[in-house]
Amino acid sequence: MQRLTDEINKGLSRETHDDAVVKCFTTYVQDLPNGTEKGNFLALDLGGTNFRVLLITLDRQNFDMKSKIYAIPQSLMLGTGTQLFDHIAQCLALFVKDLNLQNEVLPLGFTFSFPLTQYGLTEGHLVRWTKGFNCSGVIGEDVVALLEDAISRRKDVKIDVCAILNDTTGTLMSCAWKNRNCRIGLIVGTGSNACYVEKTKNVQCAIPGNYSSGKPDMLINTEWGAFGEQDVLDFVITEFDRAIDENSINPNKQLFEKMISGMYMGELTRLVLEKLVNAGFLFGGKCPNDLRKRGKFFTKYVSEIENDPKGRYTNCRDVLAELGMRNVSDQDCENVRYVCSVVSRRAAHLVSAGIAALLNKIGENNVTVGIDGSVYRFHPHFHDLMTAKISELQNYKVRIME
C-alpha cells in the first residue's frame, strides 16, 4: 500500500510524472452524473479480445440498454491500426443500421481501455498497448482521430465522438449515476486498473499550462497495472510471475496486472500445477501433455474449480478431463483446488491493498467502489475476499457495488 501510494504521488507530480510508473493520467472528467441525465447515447467499449457496442437510453433514473459483442481476431490485434479501426467502424455501422438509427446524429462515448495521455475530453494519445494488443501505427497517435477517420471513410453513419475514457472511468461514472458516493472505479478482468476522484489542486501532472476549471475534483486514471516496473514489487514477485513476464509480448511491463488479471491467472495456476507434478506431489508425477502447454489452463477453469461445493469435485474433474486427466483421486482434486484458491486469493488481496491505498488517499467515510470485469463477476469468492481484506487494511466505511 505504501509503495503504491508513493508511485501514485510520483504520477501526480509535475516534476516526477514523466519518469513515474503509475502514470495517474488526467481524464478531464470533473463532474459526476446526478441521475437526471436523459437521451440516446452510443457507447463503444474496446479493451480486450472482444469489444461491445451499446445503445443506452437514459430517462431520469431509468435506463434501457441494447448491446452487441464483436470479436477481435488475433490477426487484427497484431495488425495495423487502420485495420483495427476500420473493423470497429464497420461493426459500429452494422449495429446502428440494425437499430435503424443511421439517419440520427448519435453522441458516442468511446471507452478505450489502454494507457492514454489525454489533452481534453475528446483527445487521447496511446501511450502503450497492453493485454495482447500490438497494432502498428497507433502509439503516440490520437485514437479519437483514428476512429473518426475510419467512420468518415465509410460515409454511412453519423456519429459524434463526445468523450474518450478508460473502462475504470466508465465504471465509476455508471455507478455514480446510481450512487452519488462512488469515488473509485475498479476493473478486474482481462487487465486490472483503477481510477479515483482526486482534488484538482493535487493534480499537477499532464495538465497543459496552468489549467484551471475552478472545479474542486478531477478523475484520475491511475494505470496501476504498470505498478511493479522499476523493481518496486520485487519483494512479492515469484518465480511463476517471472515466467509469465518473460513469455509475454510485453516483458518487464504491467507487472502488477500480470499478478492479478484474467489474462494471466490461468497460466499462473498452470505453472504452479506443472511444478507440483514435476516434484511428484500431483497426479503421481505424471503430467498430461496439455498441462505442459502455455495457455492451455484457462482462467475460467479457476472459477469453475472453486465453484465446486466443499468435498465435491465435479467441475474439477471435468476440467482435468479436458486436459487429458481421468480417474483423478479426491486428494489430487483437493490439491488442484487449493492451488487455484491461492492464486485467486493473492489476486484479490493485491487488488484490495490497492483499493485500501486509494481509500486512505481520498480520506472520506462512506465511499462506494464501483467494480467491473470478468474475474470479479465470475469468480465465486472474489467479492468476499475483497470485502474482508479491504476492511482489514483500512478504517473507513466502504461499499462495493457492481
Side-chain angles (χ1 to χ4, degrees):
M1 284 168 65
Q2 187 55 56
R3 290 194 184 201
L4 179 59
T5 303
D6 293 345
E7 294 298 315
I8 287 170
N9 288 333
K10 282 183 194 170
L12 290 172
S13 163
R14 186 174 285 123
E15 288 72 39
T16 50
H17 175 79
D18 287 349
D19 299 320
V21 167
V22 180
K23 284 293 186 190
C24 290
F25 292 118
T26 307
T27 65
Y28 294 88
V29 175
Q30 295 194 268
D31 296 300
L32 296 180
N34 60 22
T36 63
E37 295 78 9
K38 50 203 279 189
N40 276 336
F41 305 90
L42 274 179
L44 171 59
D45 180 4
L46 172 66
T49 47
N50 299 310
F51 71 93
R52 286 186 298 173
V53 184
L54 307 95
L55 177 74
I56 296 159
T57 305
L58 297 180
D59 183 16
R60 292 186 177 271
Q61 289 296 322
N62 294 309
F63 75 94
D64 178 60
M65 188 167 78
K66 296 180 176 67
S67 69
K68 188 148 187 198
I69 293 174
Y70 299 90
I72 302 177
Q74 193 170 31
S75 58
L76 284 180
M77 291 168 70
L78 302 173
T80 69
T82 305
Q83 290 168 324
L84 176 68
F85 283 98
D86 280 347
H87 175 64
I88 291 167
Q90 180 185 16
C91 296
L92 206 48
L94 286 170
F95 181 79
V96 167
K97 285 176 186 170
D98 279 350
L99 294 170
N100 207 21
L101 294 169
Q102 63 271 30
N103 297 319
E104 272 189 50
V105 179
L106 291 165
L108 172 76
F110 183 15
T111 303
F112 185 79
S113 308
F114 301 93
L116 287 174
T117 301
Q118 284 193 236
Y119 297 98
L121 266 180
T122 57
E123 185 180 349
H125 295 242
L126 178 64
V127 175
R128 65 160 70 151
W129 285 114
T130 58
K131 295 177 282 197
F133 279 75
N134 200 12
C135 299
S136 60
V138 187
I139 290 175
E141 298 296 319
D142 177 12
V143 293
V144 174
L146 294 175
L147 176 62
E148 287 176 334
D149 290 348
I151 291 167
S152 64
R153 279 195 289 276
R154 298 187 57 82
K155 300 185 172 58
D156 57 352
V157 282
K158 300 168 185 171
I159 290 168
D160 175 25
V161 183
C162 294
I164 183 162
L165 60 154
N166 192 275
D167 52 355
T168 54
T169 308
T171 299
L172 193 158
M173 296 291 277
S174 63
C175 284
W177 190 69
K178 295 175 275 191
N179 183 317
R180 295 297 301 277
N181 292 331
C182 193
R183 293 286 178 275
I184 296 173
L186 169 69
I187 298 290
V188 194
T190 305
S192 179
N193 189 19
C195 71
Y196 74 104
V197 176
E198 180 58 273
K199 291 175 179 60
T200 306
K201 65 178 177 7
N202 296 337
V203 184
Q204 306 164 9
C205 65
I207 296 184
N210 51 4
Y211 173 88
S212 174
S213 63
K215 292 185 176 175
D217 296 324
M218 171 77 78
L219 244 68
I220 293 296
N221 167 24
T222 65
E223 287 299 338
W224 79 10
F227 182 41
E229 295 169 29
Q230 299 177 2
D231 304 332
V232 294
L233 273 178
D234 278 11
F235 71 105
V236 286
I237 280 179
T238 66
E239 64 187 274
F240 310 110
D241 298 310
R242 294 190 196 286
I244 291 268
D245 185 49
E246 284 160 13
N247 290 302
S248 67
I249 66 166
N250 56 345
N252 303 316
K253 301 273 192 284
Q254 302 296 113
L255 297 179
F256 192 54
E257 179 170 83
K258 285 171 180 167
M259 298 166 81
I260 291 167
S261 73
M263 186 157 186
Y264 309 100
M265 191 184 279
E267 179 63 7
L268 269 172
T269 306
R270 186 194 71 80
L271 288 166
V272 179
L273 293 173
E274 186 181 28
K275 180 168 183 174
L276 291 173
V277 175
N278 291 342
F281 296 129
L282 261 185
F283 311 139
K286 297 187 185 72
C287 195
N289 274 340
D290 276 359
L291 198 59
R292 293 209 184 277
K293 292 179 187 164
R294 270 210 309 274
K296 280 287 189 178
F297 196 97
F298 306 124
T299 294
K300 68 174 184 176
Y301 290 166
V302 177
S303 295
E304 287 168 6
I305 288 168
E306 288 205 65
N307 230 342
D308 272 330
K310 195 165 178 57
R312 300 271 298 281
Y313 305 106
T314 314
N315 292 345
C316 186
R317 285 202 159 88
D318 288 347
V319 166
L320 293 173
E322 281 185 46
L323 294 166
M325 287 293 294
R326 287 178 174 76
N327 306 318
V328 182
S329 72
D330 280 3
Q331 185 60 59
D332 277 340
C333 288
E334 184 61 36
N335 289 339
V336 168
R337 183 157 74 190
Y338 176 69
V339 170
C340 290
S341 74
V342 170
V343 171
S344 48
R345 184 170 65 234
R346 182 186 72 157
H349 286 179
L350 286 169
V351 168
S352 301
I355 292 298
L358 292 180
L359 288 165
N360 285 339
K361 200 156 193 340
I362 292 167
E364 293 172 16
N365 253 325
N366 300 315
V367 165
T368 296
V369 181
I371 309 187
D372 199 4
S374 51
V375 172
Y376 176 79
R377 281 181 177 276
F378 298 125
H379 189 285
H381 309 306
F382 218 84
H383 173 88
D384 292 344
L385 286 165
M386 282 189 64
T387 303
K389 186 53 80 172
I390 289 169
S391 298
E392 196 183 304
L393 292 175
Q394 54 78 52
N395 297 316
Y396 293 103
K397 284 185 189 158
V398 59
R399 179 185 169 200
I400 292 176
M401 73 181 279
E402 285 184 35

